[in-house]
């Protein structure tokens, strides 16, 4: 449940064990103090707190818990179609039979294999 506060910060209603409800709002912290206490801030953010980082009293960034987007599961055909639409890949000409005409190159041993062969 979201409520807009008078300070124009979005607050969340959070259940508390010592009272029915408490308001949790983004706390402001200066960039200087954020740099000095970053590890502690990240620990508190992992617990659900949010911070607004300010420079000369003006808000410039927000430090809040990360909410990853839901994972999409695509079939191979859907993923290929998506990459083609983005221009990342393009369909080749010909068929798989045309690949038979290309020579197969022999694998060259890696540096470790050559080193071990020389030691013997």
């Amino acid at each position: 449940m979201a409520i807009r506060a008078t300070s124009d910060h979005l607050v969340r209603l959070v259940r508390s064990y010592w009272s029915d409800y408490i308001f949790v709002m983004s706390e402001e912290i200066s960039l200087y103090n954020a740099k000095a206490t970053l590890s502690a801030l990240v620990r508190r953010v992992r617990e659900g707190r949010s911070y607004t980082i300010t420079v000369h009293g003006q808000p410039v960034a927000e430090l809040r818990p990360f909410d990853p987007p839901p994972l999409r599961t695509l079939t191979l055909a859907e993923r290929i179609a998506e990459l083609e639409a983005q221009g990342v890949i393009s369909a080749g000409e010909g068929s798989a039979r045309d690949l038979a005409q290309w020579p197969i190159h022999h694998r060259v041993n890696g540096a470790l294999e050559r080193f071990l062969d020389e030691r013997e």
Side-chain angles (χ1 to χ4, degrees), residues 31-67:
L31 179 61
Y32 178 83
N33 287 334
K35 288 191 315 185
T37 60
L38 184 60
S39 295
L41 286 176
V42 170
R43 193 172 29 258
R44 290 185 205 126
V45 166
R46 291 179 73 185
E47 294 169 356
R49 295 175 76 174
S50 296
Y51 294 92
T52 301
I53 299 173
T54 63
V55 174
H56 301 294
Q58 299 299 317
V60 294
E62 185 178 46
L63 186 60
R64 59 183 168 79
F66 178 68
D67 187 18

Side-chain angles (χ1 to χ4, degrees), residues 106-119:
H106 296 287
R107 183 173 180 266
V108 176
N109 288 343
L112 177 61
E113 291 169 333
R114 289 191 307 263
F115 173 75
L116 293 175
D117 287 342
E118 290 174 6
R119 289 184 59 196

Side-chain angles (χ1 to χ4, degrees), residues 68-85:
L71 294 176
R72 299 182 309 158
T73 51
L74 301 175
T75 64
L76 179 59
E78 291 171 335
R79 181 65 179 146
I80 289 172
E82 183 179 272
L83 291 173
E84 284 178 338

Side-chain angles (χ1 to χ4, degrees), residues 1-6 9-14 21-24:
M1 179 174 167
I3 301 171
R4 185 155 303 273
T6 56
H9 286 269
L10 203 59
V11 296
R12 292 177 291 152
L13 214 46
V14 178
Y21 293 101
I22 60 171
F23 287 104
V24 175

